[in-house]
Amino acid sequence: RVAGGGNAVRAVACLPALTGAWRDPAGGALLSSSGTYPVDTQALERPDLIRGTPRTINMSAIGDALTAAEPPVRAIFVYNSNPVAVAPESAKVTRGFARDDLFCVVHDLFQTDTADYADILLPATSQLEHFDVHASYGHLHVQANQPSIAPLGEALPNTEVFRRLAARMGFDDPCLSESDETLARGAFDWSAPRMQGITFDSLVQRGFHRLNVDASYAPFANGGFPTPSGKCELWSETMRAQGGDPLPAVVLPRESRLTDPARAARYPLAFISPPARNFLNSSFANLPSFVAEERSPRLLIHPDDAAPRRIVDGTRVKVYNDRGAFVANAEVTARARRGVVVAPSIWWRKLAPGGENANAVTSQALTDLGRAATFYDCLVDVAAVDAAA
């Protein structure tokens, strides 16, 4: 969210994306459980306080925002995120964060790749040091998080930093000084059917409550889709009204031999970077035990793609395109499809050989629906490091 207008400092806050999965106890398919919770987004986000039409910046294009936006972004406050590691097209991201005229504040528990660019690094509390309420990714229990210890040193939770900033900046709306307990009380619609039998006070006392749903809960088994008809709509009138195709359709990648043959001639391999088994985005990727489990950045490549490049198991390779390059150890395996290379991710740049990770090659292009990142719409080539030198 960017604050602007008048002489106000223009700043952008980086927010994390929350995702998750859950398996129906009856053996159904994987679903997200996060949408099951009746979160009161209006109470938490307070859109009624927005004045005018402030500029907004998509974090997936933060590299362009920090290097080319007009008017330029002059200040950035980063919390709950590590954009230097996780945002696409790293070269632009790092160039933006390295600007001498960008005032950068990072609030974190760790000296992340992004924290290395901070003018001010603020210590954040861990889950053990602050009060919160939690929904979930993979189960159906709402939880109260009680602090186990007092905050260490000068560490503060996000909420306290925001309260202090609001006070120092002269914002006096009462909601900006609300306590963590007040914020937590407003986080859910406690009158919703799924919260029946649960109150804030009982949650705090007990620690957790299962949502009021059936034991074999499957959210769309009998319809109930968030569509005007309540059905799974193969023809979407909503999409048609928005100017989109009302029917499911194939949308080809921007970078492929069919849509961009000139690029494919230079970079013939499709590139994907799914989560490494021991990391969660860039979380845990600095912990020695998990780094030891992952050993080093890897690139899975099919034997038919490896052979003409003189790549064998363990070869140090460079993965590259016109956006950048990073180094990994080759794993020659038929688990990768022909024409596709796979880099389990995401490594902190400072812990990766050569100081780059998979986002050196990914694109800032956005999806047409939802304006999300297109990390997997990417063409590269691969060469043994000696051959690429």
Side-chain angles (χ1 to χ4, degrees):
R1 183 168 295 168
V2 179
N7 295 319
V9 172
R10 293 177 175 89
V12 56
C14 298
L15 303 176
L18 301 181
T19 58
W22 163 72
R23 180 170 293 278
D24 174 357
L30 285 171
L31 299 168
S32 169
S33 64
S34 57
T36 309
Y37 295 83
V39 176
D40 191 338
T41 55
Q42 298 292 309
L44 290 176
E45 298 176 5
R46 293 301 300 270
D48 55 298
L49 297 179
I50 297 175
R51 299 169 186 171
T53 54
R55 175 171 57 160
T56 59
I57 288 175
N58 191 321
M59 182 178 167
S60 296
I62 195 171
D64 282 341
L66 294 181
T67 56
E70 289 294 339
V73 175
R74 296 295 189 188
I76 183 167
F77 182 98
V78 182
Y79 64 101
N80 291 5
S81 190
N82 185 10
V84 170
V86 304
E89 201 167 347
S90 296
K92 286 186 177 180
V93 178
T94 55
R95 190 160 69 247
F97 272 93
R99 283 170 36 205
D100 290 336
D101 62 343
L102 177 72
F103 179 60
C104 178
V105 179
V106 176
H107 185 221
D108 210 304
L109 283 77
F110 303 105
Q111 181 82 24
T112 64
D113 286 338
T114 308
D116 290 341
Y117 290 86
D119 295 294
I120 297 178
L121 178 57
L122 301 175
T125 50
S126 69
Q127 186 177 356
L128 299 174
E129 299 165 90
H130 59 240
F131 178 80
D132 205 349
V133 290
H134 297 302
S136 68
Y137 303 152
H139 56 76
L140 294 169
H141 289 76
V142 59
Q143 302 156 87
N145 186 87
Q146 298 282 4
S148 299
I149 59 173
L152 299 177
E154 297 181 279
L156 296 173
N158 293 338
T159 48
E160 180 59 21
V161 173
F162 299 152
R163 283 188 286 264
R164 296 187 187 188
L165 282 174
R168 290 296 296 270
M169 295 175 73
F171 297 119
D172 57 5
D173 190 284
C175 76
L176 299 176
S177 60
E178 289 177 343
S179 67
D180 289 352
E181 178 179 327
T182 300
L183 291 170
R185 285 182 180 274
F188 297 108
D189 176 3
W190 301 93
S191 66
R194 291 172 185 170
M195 302 295 280
Q196 184 177 347
I198 306 172
T199 66
F200 177 80
D201 292 332
S202 68
L203 177 63
V204 170
Q205 181 177 10
R206 183 179 177 184
F208 64 92
H209 274 286
R210 189 178 189 277
L211 293 177
N212 184 36
V213 295
D214 294 337
S216 58
Y217 174 68
F220 305 122
N222 297 303
F225 290 87
T227 61
S229 67
K231 299 178 181 179
C232 177
E233 297 181 345
L234 298 182
W235 171 283
S236 172
E237 190 62 29
T238 301
M239 284 290 294
R240 189 197 65 78
Q242 294 175 355
D245 190 337
L247 287 170
V250 173
V251 178
L252 294 175
R254 292 185 179 92
E255 298 187 8
S256 75
R257 60 182 178 82
L258 296 176
T259 55
D260 194 344
R263 173 178 286 271
R266 290 179 291 142
Y267 309 115
L269 299 172
F271 173 81
I272 60 175
S273 49
R277 183 176 184 272
N278 293 283
F279 302 159
L280 177 62
N281 297 326
S282 71
S283 296
F284 313 122
N286 63 316
L287 300 182
S289 59
F290 294 154
V291 170
E293 284 284 337
E294 287 297 322
R295 298 190 298 277
S296 68
R298 293 177 294 137
L299 185 79
L300 280 63
I301 183 171
H302 192 277
D304 291 353
D305 297 317
R309 294 170 172 84
R310 298 182 180 179
I311 294 170
V312 297
D313 258 348
T315 299
R316 182 65 61 92
V317 297
K318 182 174 82 167
V319 185
Y320 65 96
N321 58 22
D322 53 357
R323 289 182 286 267
F326 71 98
V327 175
N329 290 334
E331 183 178 325
V332 180
T333 172
R335 290 190 296 143
R337 290 182 57 181
R338 293 180 184 87
V340 179
V341 289
V342 183
S345 296
I346 189 157
W347 283 76
W348 283 20
R349 289 159 47 93
K350 69 175 73 178
L351 300 180
E356 298 285 353
N357 65 20
N359 280 321
V361 298
T362 54
S363 167
Q364 292 183 89
L366 302 174
T367 61
D368 56 345
L369 181 63
R371 309 304 287 167
T374 56
F375 291 108
Y376 288 8
D377 190 340
C378 179
L379 287 175
V380 301
D381 203 354
V382 178
V385 166
D386 290 342

Short mmCIF file of all heavy atoms in Angstrom, two decimals, residues 64-94:
data_model
loop_
_atom_site.label_atom_id
_atom_site.label_comp_id
_atom_site.label_asym_id
_atom_site.label_seq_id
_atom_site.Cartn_x
_atom_site.Cartn_y
_atom_site.Cartn_z
N ASP A 64 10.43 -3.20 -10.92
CA ASP A 64 10.10 -2.06 -11.76
C ASP A 64 9.68 -0.87 -10.91
O ASP A 64 10.01 0.28 -11.22
CB ASP A 64 8.97 -2.42 -12.72
CG ASP A 64 9.46 -3.25 -13.90
OD1 ASP A 64 10.67 -3.25 -14.17
OD2 ASP A 64 8.62 -3.90 -14.55
N ALA A 65 8.94 -1.13 -9.82
CA ALA A 65 8.45 -0.03 -8.98
C ALA A 65 9.61 0.76 -8.36
O ALA A 65 9.55 1.99 -8.29
CB ALA A 65 7.55 -0.58 -7.88
N LEU A 66 10.64 0.06 -7.93
CA LEU A 66 11.75 0.73 -7.25
C LEU A 66 12.77 1.33 -8.22
O LEU A 66 13.60 2.13 -7.81
CB LEU A 66 12.46 -0.24 -6.31
CG LEU A 66 11.65 -0.72 -5.10
CD1 LEU A 66 12.49 -1.66 -4.24
CD2 LEU A 66 11.14 0.45 -4.28
N THR A 67 12.70 0.94 -9.48
CA THR A 67 13.69 1.45 -10.43
C THR A 67 13.09 2.40 -11.47
O THR A 67 13.84 3.16 -12.09
CB THR A 67 14.38 0.30 -11.19
OG1 THR A 67 13.38 -0.52 -11.83
CG2 THR A 67 15.20 -0.55 -10.24
N ALA A 68 11.76 2.36 -11.66
CA ALA A 68 11.20 3.14 -12.77
C ALA A 68 9.90 3.86 -12.44
O ALA A 68 9.40 4.60 -13.29
CB ALA A 68 10.98 2.22 -13.98
N ALA A 69 9.32 3.68 -11.26
CA ALA A 69 8.03 4.30 -10.95
C ALA A 69 8.15 5.82 -10.93
O ALA A 69 9.15 6.37 -10.49
CB ALA A 69 7.50 3.80 -9.61
N GLU A 70 7.10 6.49 -11.42
CA GLU A 70 7.02 7.95 -11.35
C GLU A 70 5.70 8.34 -10.73
O GLU A 70 4.66 7.92 -11.20
CB GLU A 70 7.14 8.55 -12.76
CG GLU A 70 8.52 8.44 -13.36
CD GLU A 70 9.57 9.26 -12.60
OE1 GLU A 70 9.15 10.20 -11.88
OE2 GLU A 70 10.76 8.96 -12.71
N PRO A 71 5.71 9.15 -9.67
CA PRO A 71 6.91 9.62 -8.97
C PRO A 71 7.62 8.47 -8.30
O PRO A 71 7.01 7.46 -7.99
CB PRO A 71 6.35 10.61 -7.95
CG PRO A 71 4.96 10.16 -7.71
CD PRO A 71 4.47 9.62 -9.02
N PRO A 72 8.91 8.60 -8.05
CA PRO A 72 9.66 7.47 -7.49
C PRO A 72 9.25 7.14 -6.07
O PRO A 72 8.80 8.01 -5.31
CB PRO A 72 11.11 7.96 -7.53
CG PRO A 72 11.02 9.45 -7.55
CD PRO A 72 9.77 9.77 -8.30
N VAL A 73 9.38 5.87 -5.73
CA VAL A 73 9.19 5.44 -4.35
C VAL A 73 10.41 5.91 -3.56
O VAL A 73 11.53 5.58 -3.91
CB VAL A 73 9.04 3.90 -4.26
CG1 VAL A 73 8.96 3.45 -2.81
CG2 VAL A 73 7.81 3.44 -5.03
N ARG A 74 10.17 6.67 -2.50
CA ARG A 74 11.27 7.23 -1.73
C ARG A 74 11.52 6.49 -0.42
O ARG A 74 12.58 6.64 0.18
CB ARG A 74 10.98 8.71 -1.43
CG ARG A 74 10.89 9.59 -2.65
CD ARG A 74 12.21 9.67 -3.38
NE ARG A 74 12.18 10.68 -4.44
CZ ARG A 74 13.15 10.85 -5.32
NH1 ARG A 74 14.23 10.08 -5.27
NH2 ARG A 74 13.06 11.77 -6.25
N ALA A 75 10.54 5.75 0.05
CA ALA A 75 10.71 5.04 1.32
C ALA A 75 9.98 3.72 1.25
O ALA A 75 8.94 3.60 0.57
CB ALA A 75 10.18 5.88 2.49
N ILE A 76 10.49 2.73 1.93
CA ILE A 76 9.87 1.41 1.94
C ILE A 76 10.02 0.80 3.33
O ILE A 76 11.09 0.89 3.95
CB ILE A 76 10.47 0.49 0.85
CG1 ILE A 76 9.77 -0.86 0.81
CG2 ILE A 76 11.97 0.31 1.04
CD1 ILE A 76 10.11 -1.67 -0.43
N PHE A 77 8.93 0.24 3.82
CA PHE A 77 8.91 -0.45 5.12
C PHE A 77 8.55 -1.89 4.84
O PHE A 77 7.46 -2.19 4.37
CB PHE A 77 7.88 0.21 6.05
CG PHE A 77 7.84 -0.40 7.43
CD1 PHE A 77 8.52 0.19 8.48
CD2 PHE A 77 7.11 -1.54 7.68
CE1 PHE A 77 8.48 -0.35 9.75
CE2 PHE A 77 7.06 -2.11 8.95
CZ PHE A 77 7.75 -1.51 9.99
N VAL A 78 9.47 -2.80 5.11
CA VAL A 78 9.29 -4.21 4.79
C VAL A 78 9.06 -5.00 6.08
O VAL A 78 9.86 -4.91 7.01
CB VAL A 78 10.52 -4.78 4.06
CG1 VAL A 78 10.29 -6.25 3.69
CG2 VAL A 78 10.83 -3.97 2.80
N TYR A 79 7.97 -5.74 6.12
CA TYR A 79 7.70 -6.61 7.26
C TYR A 79 7.04 -7.88 6.73
O TYR A 79 6.37 -7.87 5.70
CB TYR A 79 6.80 -5.93 8.29
CG TYR A 79 5.41 -5.61 7.80
CD1 TYR A 79 4.32 -6.41 8.15
CD2 TYR A 79 5.18 -4.50 6.99
CE1 TYR A 79 3.05 -6.12 7.69
CE2 TYR A 79 3.91 -4.21 6.54
CZ TYR A 79 2.84 -5.01 6.89
OH TYR A 79 1.57 -4.72 6.43
N ASN A 80 7.25 -8.99 7.43
CA ASN A 80 6.66 -10.28 7.04
C ASN A 80 7.03 -10.67 5.61
O ASN A 80 6.28 -11.38 4.95
CB ASN A 80 5.14 -10.24 7.15
CG ASN A 80 4.65 -10.18 8.58
OD1 ASN A 80 5.44 -10.07 9.50
ND2 ASN A 80 3.34 -10.23 8.76
N SER A 81 8.16 -10.22 5.13
CA SER A 81 8.53 -10.56 3.76
C SER A 81 10.02 -10.38 3.54
O SER A 81 10.71 -9.72 4.33
CB SER A 81 7.75 -9.68 2.77
OG SER A 81 7.92 -10.13 1.45
N ASN A 82 10.50 -10.95 2.44
CA ASN A 82 11.92 -10.89 2.08
C ASN A 82 12.01 -10.71 0.57
O ASN A 82 12.43 -11.59 -0.16
CB ASN A 82 12.60 -12.19 2.53
CG ASN A 82 14.10 -12.19 2.30
OD1 ASN A 82 14.70 -11.17 1.98
ND2 ASN A 82 14.71 -13.36 2.45
N PRO A 83 11.56 -9.54 0.06
CA PRO A 83 11.42 -9.38 -1.39
C PRO A 83 12.70 -9.52 -2.17
O PRO A 83 12.66 -9.93 -3.33
CB PRO A 83 10.83 -7.96 -1.52
CG PRO A 83 11.12 -7.28 -0.23
CD PRO A 83 11.10 -8.35 0.80
N VAL A 84 13.85 -9.19 -1.59
CA VAL A 84 15.10 -9.34 -2.34
C VAL A 84 15.33 -10.80 -2.71
O VAL A 84 15.92 -11.10 -3.75
CB VAL A 84 16.28 -8.77 -1.52
CG1 VAL A 84 17.62 -9.14 -2.15
CG2 VAL A 84 16.16 -7.25 -1.41
N ALA A 85 14.83 -11.73 -1.89
CA ALA A 85 14.95 -13.15 -2.21
C ALA A 85 13.77 -13.68 -3.01
O ALA A 85 13.95 -14.50 -3.90
CB ALA A 85 15.10 -13.97 -0.92
N VAL A 86 12.54 -13.22 -2.70
CA VAL A 86 11.36 -13.89 -3.24
C VAL A 86 10.74 -13.20 -4.44
O VAL A 86 9.93 -13.81 -5.15
CB VAL A 86 10.28 -14.08 -2.15
CG1 VAL A 86 10.84 -14.83 -0.95
CG2 VAL A 86 9.67 -12.74 -1.71
N ALA A 87 11.03 -11.94 -4.69
CA ALA A 87 10.40 -11.25 -5.81
C ALA A 87 11.10 -11.60 -7.11
O ALA A 87 12.31 -11.84 -7.14
CB ALA A 87 10.44 -9.74 -5.57
N PRO A 88 10.36 -11.62 -8.23
CA PRO A 88 10.97 -12.00 -9.51
C PRO A 88 11.91 -10.94 -10.05
O PRO A 88 11.88 -9.78 -9.66
CB PRO A 88 9.75 -12.18 -10.42
CG PRO A 88 8.68 -11.34 -9.81
CD PRO A 88 8.91 -11.38 -8.34
N GLU A 89 12.74 -11.37 -10.99
CA GLU A 89 13.72 -10.54 -11.68
C GLU A 89 14.61 -9.81 -10.67
O GLU A 89 14.59 -8.59 -10.52
CB GLU A 89 13.03 -9.55 -12.62
CG GLU A 89 13.95 -9.05 -13.70
CD GLU A 89 13.23 -8.32 -14.83
OE1 GLU A 89 12.00 -8.40 -14.93
OE2 GLU A 89 13.95 -7.68 -15.63
N SER A 90 15.41 -10.59 -9.98
CA SER A 90 16.21 -10.10 -8.86
C SER A 90 17.11 -8.93 -9.21
O SER A 90 17.36 -8.06 -8.36
CB SER A 90 17.10 -11.23 -8.32
OG SER A 90 16.33 -12.26 -7.78
N ALA A 91 17.61 -8.87 -10.41
CA ALA A 91 18.55 -7.80 -10.76
C ALA A 91 17.91 -6.43 -10.56
O ALA A 91 18.53 -5.50 -10.02
CB ALA A 91 19.04 -7.96 -12.19
N LYS A 92 16.65 -6.30 -10.98
CA LYS A 92 15.97 -5.03 -10.80
C LYS A 92 15.63 -4.79 -9.34
O LYS A 92 15.69 -3.66 -8.85
CB LYS A 92 14.71 -4.98 -11.66
CG LYS A 92 14.96 -4.80 -13.13
CD LYS A 92 13.66 -4.62 -13.90
CE LYS A 92 13.92 -4.36 -15.37
NZ LYS A 92 12.65 -4.20 -16.13
N VAL A 93 15.25 -5.86 -8.64
CA VAL A 93 14.88 -5.72 -7.22
C VAL A 93 16.08 -5.21 -6.42
O VAL A 93 15.97 -4.25 -5.64
CB VAL A 93 14.37 -7.05 -6.65
CG1 VAL A 93 14.03 -6.90 -5.18
CG2 VAL A 93 13.14 -7.53 -7.42
N THR A 94 17.22 -5.85 -6.60
CA THR A 94 18.41 -5.44 -5.83
C THR A 94 18.88 -4.05 -6.25
O THR A 94 19.34 -3.27 -5.40
CB THR A 94 19.54 -6.46 -5.99
OG1 THR A 94 19.82 -6.65 -7.39
CG2 THR A 94 19.16 -7.79 -5.39
#
